[in-house]
């Protein structure tokens, strides 16, 4: 048994030179018989059965089942507990917890411990400023923002809309929006959580560039795309060096897609809470952003990544290197921008042609082969590694979800399998990280050793892949009015079964795909009664209900 006890200063010794062992013996006594150890193991087993039992799938594919039912959810819990603050790969506790990271992590564990998710949302929102901006990171013990790590990552505020809306969809707890939450941990300027969401939305509205697209600030999700840094000193950090932001024309098409996705979630929240005036105001800004992307964010075959400080295109056929990027194409596809005009299909086809490889989807192509001072840290890495054309498993799900938006279940599944650890056991000697947890990055096609992974465990990859497989491929989607069932699967799947605990009831869901389609629900039967919607009703009665979902 390994344990640790603290003894008060005036009680450290039993007698001269004999240390006080009483607290240690009390701890040992809890497990000093076989019966006590068995009871402790049973308690631990029950704890994990409860956490992992909120969703259980039976697909007929053991590799998929064990990832969804056990390991992926387990990794999401570990990531929730530790964020990126304790890791062999990262910088230890000095880094703290990320505003962006923690909001995204929440979508992987909210169904397991919604009460803790609620607390986490308040912790995160308390590190926001009144103008909607926020500390990029905060310390988990003090809950205070970490100014020394830098800020002005202009995607950060929008992720709060993601975490809050997913929490409410899971729990139905709209009361969270009325809770008073401080800005910068100052209770004298506290406002409701809904007000925090409003300033998050408006932070984008109030920070757009010459094309009507969001200004990138220090960076967006890709911390290494530093369009305002112009660093010439190898000893300084791109994360904290001064930004040359005055007069900058650096805009992010990725943030534009993000704004459309979570702007629409914000609009839906406004409508659900009866705030029609705000929903109409927000809708105008979302519509304007869609048009700005169509007009200024489209390169002909895919979505641009950004405009640099000088207003020059990044992620364009016009560029010598870095012609296409994954982030903007993923988010604009998820947002459905230009779907009617065929933009989404073209963009995802270009991703397949230019970014896809044997081991997953690389971040950009062609890889950078020299340092571009106007691009920043992204061009400092060797080709095929990290942000320079590595396979970031965190953003691959954005393409997976984009493929489900247009109903291409075979493509979504193909991408999912390429980075899912349980399908990589046969190449463990190459992959080199655990065959049961996701890694942050896999070396891309330009690397010295393509397929070699690094940074496992503490990565947003865990939550995003769980979100993609559970809600968009299997299609089990918590929604405000019930449990929406909208699978997008390979045509050769005959179906699958899911047990899902949701708002005080258990749903046994049988999905049948006899017509061999990718997407589409034509019939839903709940407890023997056909219903006219693919949203299963909220029962909240503590009982088990059976649903049959026919695809076609």
């Amino acid at each position: 048994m390994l344990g640790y006890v603290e003894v008060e200063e005036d009680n450290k010794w039993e007698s001269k030179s004999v240390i006080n062992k009483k607290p240690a013996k009390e701890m040992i006594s809890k497990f000093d018989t076989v019966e006590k150890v068995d009871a402790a193991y049973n308690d631990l087993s029950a704890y994990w059965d409860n956490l992992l039992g909120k969703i259980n799938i039976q697909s007929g594919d053991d590799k998929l089942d064990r990832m969804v039912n056990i390991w992926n959810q387990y990794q999401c819990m570990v990531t929730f507990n530790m964020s990126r603050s304790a890791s062999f790969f990262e910088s230890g506790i000095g880094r703290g917890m990320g505003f962006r990271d923690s909001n995204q992590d929440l979508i992987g564990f909210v169904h397991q411990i919604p009460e803790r998710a609620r607390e986490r949302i308040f912790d995160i929102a308390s590190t926001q400023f009144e103008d909607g901006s926020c500390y990029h990171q905060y310390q988990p013990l003090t809950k205070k923002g970490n100014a020394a790590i830098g800020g002005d990552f202009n995607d950060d505020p929008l992720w709060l809309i993601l975490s809050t809306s997913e929490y409410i969809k899971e729990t139905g707890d709209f009361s969270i929006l009325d809770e008073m939450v401080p800005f910068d941990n100052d209770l004298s300027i506290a406002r409701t959580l809904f007000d925090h969401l409003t300033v998050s939305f408006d932070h984008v509205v109030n920070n757009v560039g010459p094309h009507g697209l969001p200004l990138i600030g220090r960076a967006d999700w890709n911390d290494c795309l530093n369009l305002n840094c112009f660093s010439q000193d190898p000893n300084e950090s791109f994360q904290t060096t001064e930004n040359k932001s005055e007069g900058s024309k650096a805009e992010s098409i990725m943030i534009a897609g993000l704004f459309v996705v979570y702007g629409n979630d914000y609009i839906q929240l406004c409508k659900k809470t009866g705030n029609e005036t705000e929903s109409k105001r927000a809708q105008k800004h979302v519509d304007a952003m869609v048009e700005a992307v169509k007009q200024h964010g489209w390169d002909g075959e895919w979505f641009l990544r950004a405009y640099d400080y000088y207003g020059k295109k990044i992620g364009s056929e016009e560029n010598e290197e870095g012609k296409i990027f994954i982030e903007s194409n993923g988010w604009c596809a998820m947002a459905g921008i230009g779907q009617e005009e065929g933009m989404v299909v073209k963009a995802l086809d270009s991703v397949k042609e230019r970014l896809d490889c044997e081991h997953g989807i690389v971040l950009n192509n062609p890889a950078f082969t020299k340092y571009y001072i106007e691009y920043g840290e992204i061009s400092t890495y060797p080709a095929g590694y990290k942000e320079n054309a590595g396979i970031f498993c965190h953003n691959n799900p954005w393409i997976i979800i984009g493929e489900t938006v247009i109903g291409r279940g075979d493509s979504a599944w193909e991408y999912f399998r390429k980075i899912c650890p349980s399908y990589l056991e046969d190449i463990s000697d190459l992959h080199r990280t655990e065959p049961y947890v996701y890694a942050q990055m896999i070396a891309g096609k330009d690397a010295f050793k393509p397929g070699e992974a690094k940074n496992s465990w503490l990565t947003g990859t865990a939550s995003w892949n769980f979100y993609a497989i559970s809600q968009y491929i299997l299609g089990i989607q918590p929604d405000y009015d019930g449990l929406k069932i909208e699978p997008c699967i390979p045509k050769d799947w005959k179906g699958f079964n899911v047990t899902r605990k949701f708002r005080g009831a258990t749903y046994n869901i049988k999905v049948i795909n006899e017509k061999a389609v990718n997407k589409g629900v034509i019939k839903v039967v709940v407890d023997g009664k056909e219903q006219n919607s693919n949203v299963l009703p909220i029962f909240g009665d503590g009982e088990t209900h059976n649903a049959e979902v026919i695809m076609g």
Side-chain angles (χ1 to χ4, degrees):
M1 175 180 170
L2 179 66
Y4 175 81
V5 292
E6 286 279 0
V7 181
E8 294 178 1
E9 184 68 29
D10 58 357
N11 197 31
K12 283 188 179 294
W13 307 99
E14 290 182 2
S15 59
K16 186 176 181 180
S17 301
V18 179
I19 197 166
N20 181 6
K21 303 182 185 68
K22 184 178 179 181
K25 290 177 179 178
E26 289 176 351
M27 179 181 288
I28 292 170
S29 70
K30 296 178 182 179
F31 309 103
D32 60 1
T33 67
V34 172
E35 291 76 17
K36 290 179 182 179
V37 171
D38 286 344
Y41 272 118
N42 289 337
D43 289 344
L44 182 63
S45 177
Y47 170 81
W48 280 108
D49 284 346
N50 177 58
L51 282 182
L52 302 178
K54 302 296 172 59
I55 181 169
N56 183 277
I57 74 164
Q58 305 89 43
S59 69
D61 182 341
D62 176 66
K63 292 180 179 180
L64 175 62
D65 291 356
R66 72 173 183 259
M67 281 304 300
V68 174
N69 296 338
I70 303 172
W71 286 110
N72 197 175
Q73 292 191 78
Y74 180 78
Q75 187 179 359
C76 287
M77 279 300 302
V78 172
T79 305
F80 156 69
N81 284 320
M82 296 185 179
S83 187
R84 315 297 178 270
S85 64
S87 169
F88 290 118
F89 303 108
E90 304 293 355
S91 57
I93 61 173
R95 175 171 174 166
M97 299 177 69
F99 190 99
R100 174 203 301 141
D101 293 338
S102 297
N103 277 302
Q104 292 179 89
D105 289 344
L106 188 141
I107 66 177
F109 70 80
V110 63
H111 66 292
Q112 297 173 305
I113 46 171
E115 67 284 351
R116 299 287 300 281
R118 195 178 201 267
E119 294 174 6
R120 178 61 56 83
I121 289 170
F122 294 146
D123 289 346
I124 298 167
S126 297
T127 66
Q128 191 174 30
F129 298 107
E130 289 181 280
D131 68 351
S133 63
C134 53
Y135 291 103
H136 191 51
Q137 294 171 9
Y138 69 95
Q139 289 298 334
L141 296 181
T142 66
K143 309 294 175 67
K144 300 287 187 180
N146 197 348
I149 301 299
D152 298 322
F153 295 79
N154 282 354
D155 65 306
D156 276 350
L158 289 172
W159 300 108
L160 184 62
I161 300 176
L162 162 68
S163 62
T164 304
S165 61
E166 289 299 321
Y167 166 80
I168 297 174
K169 288 175 184 177
E170 179 66 36
T171 64
D173 176 21
F174 282 90
S175 71
I176 192 174
L177 298 174
D178 298 322
E179 295 285 349
M180 299 299 289
V181 183
F183 288 104
D184 195 14
N185 280 283
D186 183 349
L187 288 171
S188 70
I189 50 174
R191 287 162 61 186
T192 66
L193 180 62
F194 186 86
D195 289 335
H196 279 260
L197 301 187
T198 300
V199 297
S200 294
F201 179 89
D202 284 344
H203 187 266
V204 173
V205 173
N206 296 330
N207 290 277
V208 295
H211 298 102
L213 298 165
L215 292 170
I216 197 170
R218 181 173 297 277
D220 55 25
W221 173 87
N222 188 335
D223 291 325
C224 298
L225 188 63
N226 315 116
L227 305 183
N228 296 310
C229 284
F230 296 93
S231 176
Q232 299 185 59
D233 183 355
N235 295 310
E236 68 183 3
S237 168
F238 287 94
Q239 309 296 308
T240 56
T241 184
E242 285 297 318
N243 262 7
K244 184 182 174 183
S245 55
E246 187 173 345
S248 174
K249 299 177 182 178
E251 299 167 294
S252 167
I253 285 83
M254 184 222 145
I255 298 179
L258 191 73
F259 177 75
V260 174
V261 172
Y262 298 127
N264 280 321
D265 274 358
Y266 175 70
I267 291 165
Q268 198 174 8
L269 273 177
C270 290
K271 291 179 178 179
K272 286 292 180 183
T273 54
N275 196 340
E276 290 294 332
T277 300
E278 177 63 6
S279 74
K280 290 176 181 177
R281 181 190 77 90
Q283 188 68 63
K284 290 179 181 178
H285 290 296
V286 170
D287 291 346
M289 189 65 70
V290 169
E291 291 307 311
V293 173
K294 287 181 183 180
Q295 186 172 352
H296 301 292
W298 181 247
D299 198 53
E301 296 294 326
W302 57 80
F303 293 98
L304 295 172
R305 179 59 178 87
Y307 286 91
D308 70 11
Y309 180 91
Y310 304 104
K312 297 177 181 178
K313 295 177 182 178
I314 300 174
S316 168
E317 184 65 62
E318 299 173 10
N319 298 125
E320 178 184 352
E321 298 179 330
K323 292 175 180 286
I324 180 173
F325 287 72
I326 190 173
E327 305 101 308
S328 52
N329 286 287
W331 279 102
C332 290
M334 288 169 67
I337 296 174
Q339 187 170 349
E340 293 181 359
E341 297 92 332
M343 291 179 179
V344 173
V345 170
K346 280 186 176 182
L348 294 177
D349 285 347
S350 296
V351 167
K352 178 67 177 175
E353 177 187 350
R354 295 181 179 237
L355 299 180
D356 186 34
C357 70
E358 178 185 358
H359 302 289
I361 310 168
V362 301
L363 192 143
N364 58 289
N365 182 262
F368 297 113
T369 59
K370 61 183 179 181
Y371 178 48
Y372 293 80
I373 193 171
E374 69 273 28
Y375 290 0
E377 187 174 0
I378 189 172
S379 59
T380 66
Y381 291 110
Y385 292 96
K386 292 286 284 183
E387 282 82 355
N388 186 16
I391 298 162
F392 250 77
C393 301
H394 185 142
N395 57 36
N396 273 227
W398 302 341
I399 298 297
I400 292 170
I401 295 171
E403 290 286 355
T404 70
V405 168
I406 58 173
R408 300 202 301 203
D410 290 284
S411 296
W413 176 244
E414 178 190 354
Y415 288 139
F416 176 82
R417 281 174 54 100
K418 285 185 178 183
I419 62 170
C420 181
S422 59
Y423 293 95
L424 305 177
E425 291 178 84
D426 292 342
I427 60 167
S428 289
D429 288 345
L430 169 64
H431 195 65
R432 298 188 67 183
T433 57
E434 300 90 334
Y436 44 86
V437 290
Y438 282 98
Q440 177 208 61
M441 194 276 299
I442 300 171
K445 56 188 177 181
D446 302 293
F448 173 74
K449 189 181 287 187
E452 185 177 36
K454 69 186 294 289
N455 288 40
S456 58
W457 283 105
L458 300 184
T459 164
T461 302
S463 59
W464 271 107
N465 276 279
F466 182 76
Y467 190 65
I469 184 64
S470 63
Q471 295 205 28
Y472 288 91
I473 294 179
L474 299 174
I476 313 300
Q477 302 177 7
D479 208 349
Y480 297 114
D481 300 318
L483 198 59
K484 185 178 180 180
I485 314 299
E486 194 169 25
C488 186
I489 58 178
K491 289 180 180 179
D492 62 4
W493 280 23
K494 301 302 181 185
F496 57 90
N497 297 316
V498 175
T499 299
R500 179 66 155 89
K501 294 180 180 178
F502 178 68
R503 297 200 202 174
T506 300
Y507 297 74
N508 288 332
I509 305 162
K510 183 179 182 64
V511 175
I512 300 170
N513 187 29
E514 292 178 347
K515 296 191 175 182
V517 299
N518 285 136
K519 190 175 184 179
V521 172
I522 59 173
K523 185 178 180 180
V524 176
V525 178
V526 179
D527 293 336
K529 297 179 181 178
E530 187 171 348
Q531 64 177 51
N532 60 2
S533 169
N534 65 335
V535 179
L536 308 185
I538 300 167
F539 291 104
D541 56 6
E543 302 294 329
T544 297
H545 300 271
N546 299 309
E548 190 173 80
V549 178
I550 311 297
M551 297 181 66

